[in-house]
Amino acid sequence: MQEQLTKILQEAKEQLNKALTPGDAEEVRIRLLGKKGSLTEILRSMGTLGPEERKTLGLTANAVRSEIEGLLESKFSQLKELQKEMKFKAERIDVTEPGKQIPPGSKHPITVTIDEISRVFMSMGYSIAEGPEVETVFFNFDALNAAPNHPSRDMTDTFYISDAVLLRTQTSPVQARTLLAQNPPIQVISPGRCFRCDSPDATHSPMFHQVEGLLVDEGISMADLKGTLDSFAKQLFGSNAKTKFRPHFFPFTEPSAEMDVSCFKCGGAGCRVCKGSGWIEILGCGMVHPNVLAVGGVDTEKYTGFAFGMGVERIAMLKYGVDDIRLFYENDMRFIAQFK
Ligand code: DAH
């Protein structure tokens, strides 16, 4: 038995040397000191020995046991320490490493264009008015003097949500809303999204942007309209830009016109951008129809006004030489990041 005890002690030392985790050390403890451990068996079998033998052997067995317990204890704390160190190492953060670069975004070209248009008009004293994108038939058509059979009311041109509700096809309903909400003098622009049932191609998109303008005061004439829009064109396209007004029809203005700007590319000589004509159409405008003023409760004997509306995509395409409207909506950063 003496021999066995020496062997057990030897075994304990060897196995604990090899233990790499507290789990390994625990296994050694169970194998030697557990209920069925080899040292426990020896201690248990001592009952069968004579008193003398039991005494001497008992002393050695207990000494072996406490030595093993001591070994286990120091192994456990050594391994725990080691584990802690490894965890620290694995979790260490190098605060001197450079951070992840998040590339700065840039404004969308449509936003850049709306901002530019707004800046020009705000410098002339206009403020910004807003209206809903989901609009009523009343504000989008009826209040704007559109005849009951006007072709733009057609289901094939307009996204209807119900008989009385639609996605606005123009920003013009903001005119009617503003006339109802404010008393003259009124001087607002209203940029925003519009929707029409168009199949996307190089120049059409079912969602696009317009900027509407409305000015109502005493004694406003076509001369004010022309002066304002000519000044706008010069600020947006350069001081050499010339403008001309062609008669047109819109239900909500009388008289109505379309405004052309001299081609900023060729200066009027004729080129690919202006299709050889030297002029580029950029907006619709006119004197606000008395029927529209009346819907807003404006005294049409006292007040007159002008209105205008322009397509933002069209202006952005002309200004930046973009030849396909769909590029604006593909969210390709290589395209968008060019407009800062
Ligand atoms: N709403 C018109 C369109 O979508 C544009 C327009 C023309 C707006 C004349 C106006 C205006 O305010 O006076 O084609």
Side-chain angles (χ1 to χ4, degrees):
M1 265 198 203
Q2 187 68 53
E3 257 168 47
Q4 255 176 303
L5 286 172
T6 323
K7 219 175 124 203
I8 287 173
L9 187 56
Q10 190 59 31
E11 201 182 313
K13 283 181 184 165
E14 272 169 23
Q15 288 181 357
L16 283 177
N17 253 347
K18 282 191 222 149
L20 293 176
T21 63
D24 294 345
E26 176 62 9
E27 272 178 28
V28 177
R29 191 193 66 75
I30 292 169
R31 226 176 295 137
L32 304 176
L33 306 182
K35 264 193 201 151
K36 291 182 182 157
S38 39
L39 187 60
T40 316
E41 305 244 288
I42 290 182
L43 286 165
R44 208 178 281 143
S45 66
M46 281 200 308
T48 59
L49 301 175
E52 243 346 271
E53 219 179 345
R54 192 188 310 166
K55 204 175 166 193
T56 41
L57 212 66
L59 280 177
T60 351
N62 278 327
V64 168
R65 182 205 183 112
S66 54
E67 188 165 352
I68 293 179
E69 279 170 350
L71 285 173
L72 278 165
E73 202 175 310
S74 66
K75 193 71 191 178
F76 271 127
S77 62
Q78 187 194 338
L79 287 174
K80 267 193 196 142
E81 200 54 38
L82 200 71
Q83 261 191 341
K84 213 173 14 176
E85 248 171 61
M86 276 164 49
K87 201 167 162 225
F88 280 154
K89 261 193 199 146
E91 288 176 0
R92 198 172 61 188
I93 299 168
D94 182 355
V95 291
T96 65
E97 261 196 23
K100 274 194 197 136
Q101 287 269 328
I102 300 174
S106 57
K107 277 193 182 173
H108 191 280
I110 294 301
T111 308
V112 173
T113 309
I114 289 177
D115 285 355
E116 269 183 58
I117 296 168
S118 303
R119 190 174 39 79
V120 172
F121 282 108
M122 281 162 84
S123 77
M124 296 191 224
Y126 286 72
S127 50
I128 309 269
E130 282 186 28
E133 290 168 10
V134 179
E135 190 46 286
T136 58
V137 170
F138 174 75
F139 279 116
N140 197 79
F141 292 125
D142 303 329
L144 295 172
N145 201 38
N149 59 349
H150 194 275
S152 62
R153 291 185 185 244
D154 207 301
M155 290 280 288
T156 52
D157 290 319
T158 302
F159 290 112
Y160 281 92
I161 287 171
S162 69
D163 285 349
V165 180
L166 44 69
L167 298 184
R168 68 176 177 190
T169 59
Q170 50 188 356
T171 42
S172 304
V174 184
Q175 283 189 39
R177 287 182 173 273
T178 307
L179 287 168
L180 276 171
Q182 298 179 22
N183 290 322
I186 291 171
Q187 199 180 359
V188 294
I189 55 163
S190 185
R193 253 181 226 129
C194 305
F195 308 84
R196 283 181 204 176
C197 292
D198 278 324
S199 307
D201 63 23
T203 53
H204 293 87
S205 159
M207 190 279 298
F208 58 97
H209 299 75
Q210 287 188 340
V211 175
E212 192 77 15
L214 173 68
L215 185 143
V216 180
D217 203 346
E218 283 181 61
I220 298 300
S221 75
M222 195 81 184
D224 299 302
L225 160 72
K226 289 178 78 172
T228 301
L229 294 179
D230 184 74
S231 164
F232 161 70
K234 287 184 166 55
Q235 291 187 61
L236 199 71
F237 295 109
S239 52
N240 291 331
K242 291 195 247 345
T243 54
K244 77 172 180 188
F245 293 78
R246 280 178 293 102
H248 199 77
F249 172 80
F250 295 107
F252 35 85
T253 42
E254 183 57 37
S256 304
E258 277 186 333
M259 184 177 89
D260 295 346
V261 184
S262 55
C263 179
F264 46 84
K265 195 93 185 175
C266 64
C271 70
R272 211 171 58 90
V273 174
C274 57
K275 297 192 182 98
S277 74
W279 294 96
I280 297 169
E281 179 220 315
I282 62 157
L283 53 80
C285 58
M287 300 305 292
V288 183
H289 197 292
N291 289 355
V292 177
L293 291 175
V295 170
V298 174
D299 180 351
T300 53
E301 291 300 314
K302 191 169 172 197
Y303 294 104
T304 47
F306 64 76
F308 53 88
M310 62 192 90
V312 179
E313 279 79 354
R314 185 171 160 73
I315 290 179
M317 287 169 82
L318 290 168
K319 236 182 116 97
Y320 300 120
V322 176
D323 58 9
D324 194 320
I325 196 172
R326 290 167 292 194
L327 285 165
F328 291 127
Y329 314 116
E330 283 168 358
N331 287 340
D332 185 337
M333 282 307 288
R334 290 170 302 181
F335 173 74
I336 290 174
Q338 294 178 47
F339 307 88
K340 298 219 165 157

